[in-house]
Amino acid sequence: MSHANNPEILNRLKRAQGHLSKIVEMVEEGRDALTIAQQLQAVLKAVDKAKTVLVLHHIEHHLEEATGALPKEVRERLSGIAEITKYL
C-alpha cells in the first residue's frame, strides 16, 4: 500500500489540520498563550506521529519490495524498531 493510500497517516494529518484551524481561531480571539502553546504542542505531536508512521511504512514497503513478503519473525523485529522510534 502506498503512503498516499494509508488511512492511518491520512487520518492523523487531517486531525492535526483540523486542530490547527482551531488554534488559528484561538489566536484570532486573543485566547491565553499558555492554552494556545499547549494546543500547538498537541499538533506537533500529532504531525510527528504521522511522520513516524510514514517513515516506518516506507521502510517496511521497500523491504518487502526488495525481499518479498516478510516472515512473521521479521515483522516482529520491525515492531521493535517502531517501538523504539518514539524516543527519537
Side-chain angles (χ1 to χ4, degrees), residues 1-55:
M1 171 190 324
S2 163
H3 64 272
N5 299 320
N6 188 316
E8 183 179 3
I9 296 168
L10 288 172
N11 288 338
R12 287 179 185 282
L13 291 174
K14 287 178 181 180
R15 270 195 309 258
Q17 182 179 36
H19 201 127
L20 188 55
S21 293
K22 295 295 181 187
I23 294 170
V24 169
E25 289 175 21
M26 292 170 69
V27 171
E28 291 172 342
E29 293 168 358
R31 301 274 301 272
D32 177 59
L34 177 60
T35 303
I36 294 168
Q38 289 170 333
Q39 296 306 312
L40 284 169
Q41 184 62 31
V43 170
L44 287 172
K45 282 181 132 181
V47 171
D48 192 46
K49 181 63 178 174
K51 178 184 69 174
T52 299
V53 171
L54 174 78
V55 170

Side-chain angles (χ1 to χ4, degrees), residues 58-70:
H58 180 78
I59 290 168
E60 184 176 326
H61 172 76
H62 283 286
L63 279 173
E64 283 189 332
E65 196 174 73
T67 64
L70 299 176

